[in-house]
């Protein structure tokens, strides 16, 4: 009788197995689908690693996303002439910049030369500034500076 007691103890497990018979029969009818699902496991793992990027892309393509706004601006009937005008203006600006590029290079070279010359002048004038300040202090200490001015006699003329 121990075998009967063991069977009685597994009664709940047997009931669960009986419930699984239907789903197992359905799975047996879909071997092609199961093989396809098995082949999709690796691509699904890759998609799982880029989940945040996919969420960002989904947000960008949503109703208020950036992709929709750009598409609406391009499809806008008034926007198309503006885009064409912008394209023409950019082409004109590019041709003008190409035309003045050699002049800009020569101006840049001259500015570099002037910068070097200014540096040389600054180095030469730095010691003179101190000398000029010392001479100014000496002149300020001289007595009766105002009386030393040479005045012409009124009789000369």
């Amino acid at each position: 009788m121990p075998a009967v007691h063991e069977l009685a103890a597994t009664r709940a497990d047997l009931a669960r197995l009986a419930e699984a018979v239907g789903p197992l029969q359905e799975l047996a009818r879909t071997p092609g689908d199961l093989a396809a699902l098995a082949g999709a496991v690796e691509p699904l793992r890759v998609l799982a690693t880029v989940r945040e990027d996919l969420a960002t892309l989904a947000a960008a393509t949503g109703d208020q996303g950036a992709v929709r706004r750009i598409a609406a601006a391009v499809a806008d009937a008034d926007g198309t002439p503006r885009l064409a005008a912008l394209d023409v203006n950019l082409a004109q600006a590019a041709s003008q910049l190409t035309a003045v590029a050699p002049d800009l290079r020569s101006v840049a070279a001259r500015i570099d030369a002037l910068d070097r010359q200014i540096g040389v002048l600054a180095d030469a004038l730095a010691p003179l500034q101190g000398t000029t300040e010392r001479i100014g202090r000496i002149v300020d200490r001289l007595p009766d500076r105002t009386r030393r001015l040479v005045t012409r006699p009124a009789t000369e003329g």
Side-chain angles (χ1 to χ4, degrees), residues 47-70:
L47 285 175
T49 62
V50 294
R51 189 178 55 140
E52 291 177 14
D53 296 334
L54 290 174
T56 303
L57 180 62
T61 57
D63 289 340
Q64 300 298 320
V67 173
R68 296 280 180 156
R69 290 193 309 267
I70 292 169

Side-chain angles (χ1 to χ4, degrees), residues 19-128:
E19 291 172 1
V21 169
L24 287 173
Q25 287 174 342
E26 286 181 39
L27 284 175
R29 288 191 294 265
T30 59
D33 295 338
L34 290 176
L37 283 174
V41 169
E42 188 56 34
L44 287 173
R45 281 190 185 129
V46 171
L47 285 175
T49 62
V50 294
R51 189 178 55 140
E52 291 177 14
D53 296 334
L54 290 174
T56 303
L57 180 62
T61 57
D63 289 340
Q64 300 298 320
V67 173
R68 296 280 180 156
R69 290 193 309 267
I70 292 169
V74 170
D76 184 13
D78 294 332
T80 304
R82 286 186 296 191
L83 290 175
L86 178 62
D87 188 37
V88 169
N89 290 339
L90 287 175
Q92 289 173 346
S95 67
Q96 290 173 353
L97 286 174
T98 304
V100 297
D103 294 334
L104 290 176
R105 283 189 208 101
S106 69
V107 168
R110 289 181 183 159
I111 288 174
D112 287 340
L114 284 173
D115 190 37
R116 286 191 298 274
Q117 291 173 358
I118 288 170
V120 169
L121 284 174
D123 291 342
L125 291 176
L128 294 177

